[in-house]
């Protein structure tokens, strides 16, 4: 059982966490949970919220791997928190049916204990499942996110010593290529040199999934880069790699000024935003084949002055 599984097992069974997390553990969760310090805060302001709303909640990752970054062990993972949606969740009305909370996470260990836990939970997708999403329908495909085509995402194997370094270099080169956008044409970023023709981009609710470069450009990249023309990635982000898998992320991971309309159908706010993002890529031969992306869109909207939870209540006449 991985240390993250131990963490949730201890929370679910009200067991001691002292052998699992550091005394000064910090949880960085998506809006509106945000930053929590210490075990008691995590129990009361994170776990209690989830476990009260989702009966028999369980964590089901389909990707989870670890590596060393800056002399610390890190774990990257994505999957679903699943439970029976019996009570409202942060004002989202309970469906009385199973619900899937998509998560993407980075976990930092110190002395074999969790010291920093970053998790993006797609609460907007929960609204979508409950039929109360106040934002426009995703341009991409909405629905359950698939595990890796190769079904090898849980503790992937490194077949040779240089494998993870090659995967990391491909991702870093691709990210450098994204920085070559000339502000005019999406073709100025030569993604075909890095991405498989049938590349799957598993985006969050509000954006959706895309397949192939043209679909990605049409339904996500185009609206995003033109809306945030000065976007900058924080190079202090963690990089975790294992075999053909690479994860990057930070808190925040990107900054950009919202200077044009189009993204999510929202008008420009003119505000410089910080973006909480966690990416996981899978390499296939010399190209990237799949990308699972966690973005805290509700937090971005809040910085624009939009309270998505209040919008939901108003739009659907909820208490």
């Amino acid at each position: 059982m991985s240390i993250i599984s131990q963490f949730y097992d201890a929370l679910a069974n009200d067991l001691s966490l002292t052998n699992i997390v550091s005394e000064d553990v910090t949880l960085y969760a998506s809006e509106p949970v945000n930053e929590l310090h210490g075990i008691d805060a995590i129990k009361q302001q994170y776990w209690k919220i989830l476990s009260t709303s989702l009966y028999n909640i369980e964590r089901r990752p389909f990707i989870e791997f670890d590596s060393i970054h800056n002399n610390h062990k890190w774990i990257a993972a994505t999957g679903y928190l699943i439970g029976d949606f019996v009570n409202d969740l942060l004002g989202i009305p309970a469906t009385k049916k199973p619900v899937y909370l998509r998560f993407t996470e980075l976990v930092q260990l110190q002395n074999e204990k969790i010291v920093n836990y970053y998790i993006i939970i797609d609460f907007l997708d929960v609204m979508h499942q409950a039929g109360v999403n106040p934002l426009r329908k995703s341009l991409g495909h909405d629905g359950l996110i698939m595990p890796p085509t190769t079904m090898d995402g849980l503790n992937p194997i490194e077949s040779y010593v240089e494998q993870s370094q090659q995967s990391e270099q491909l991702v870093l080169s691709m990210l450098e290529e994204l920085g070559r956008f000339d502000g005019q044409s999406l073709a100025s970023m030569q993604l075909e040199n890095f991405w498989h023709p049938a590349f799957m981009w598993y985006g969050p609710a509000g954006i959706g999934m895309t397949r192939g470069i043209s679909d990605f450009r049409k339904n996500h990249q185009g609206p995003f880069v033109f809306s945030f023309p000065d976007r900058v990635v924080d190079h202090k982000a963690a990089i975790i790699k294992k075999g053909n898998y690479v994860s990057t992320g930070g808190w925040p991971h990107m900054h950009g000024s919202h200077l044009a309309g189009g993204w999510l159908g929202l008008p420009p706010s003119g505000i410089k935003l910080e973006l909480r993002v966690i990416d996981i890529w899978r390499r296939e031969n010399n190209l990237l084949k799949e990308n699972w992306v966690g973005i805290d869109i509700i937090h971005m909207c809040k910085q624009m002055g939009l309270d998505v939870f209040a919008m939901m209540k108003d739009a659907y006449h909820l208490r």
Side-chain angles (χ1 to χ4, degrees), residues 26-39:
T26 301
L27 176 76
Y28 302 88
S30 42
E31 179 73 31
V33 178
N34 296 307
E35 190 171 325
L36 302 176
H37 299 278
I39 293 174

Side-chain angles (χ1 to χ4, degrees), residues 80-121:
Y80 284 98
L81 296 168
I82 303 174
D84 297 323
F85 197 0
V86 295
N87 293 304
D88 293 359
L89 174 63
L90 300 169
I92 305 171
T95 63
K96 312 301 180 181
K97 300 176 182 178
V99 70
Y100 297 79
L101 276 71
R102 182 185 175 189
F103 71 83
T104 313
E105 59 191 6
L106 293 175
V107 179
Q108 182 185 17
L109 304 185
Q110 183 173 294
N111 299 322
E112 300 303 316
K113 295 182 179 182
I114 297 172
V115 62
N116 288 308
Y117 190 152
Y118 300 84
I119 182 167
I120 295 176
I121 296 178

Side-chain angles (χ1 to χ4, degrees), residues 44-89:
Q44 294 299 317
Q45 300 174 52
Y46 172 69
W47 179 248
K48 186 176 181 179
I49 290 172
L50 296 181
S51 60
T52 299
S53 298
L54 275 65
Y55 178 69
N56 277 344
I57 185 173
E58 57 180 316
R59 176 179 177 270
R60 291 191 181 181
F62 49 71
I63 298 175
E64 186 172 321
F65 59 96
D66 63 74
S67 71
I68 302 299
H69 174 72
N70 287 344
N71 299 317
H72 284 94
K73 183 177 180 179
W74 285 79
I75 303 170
T78 192
Y80 284 98
L81 296 168
I82 303 174
D84 297 323
F85 197 0
V86 295
N87 293 304
D88 293 359
L89 174 63

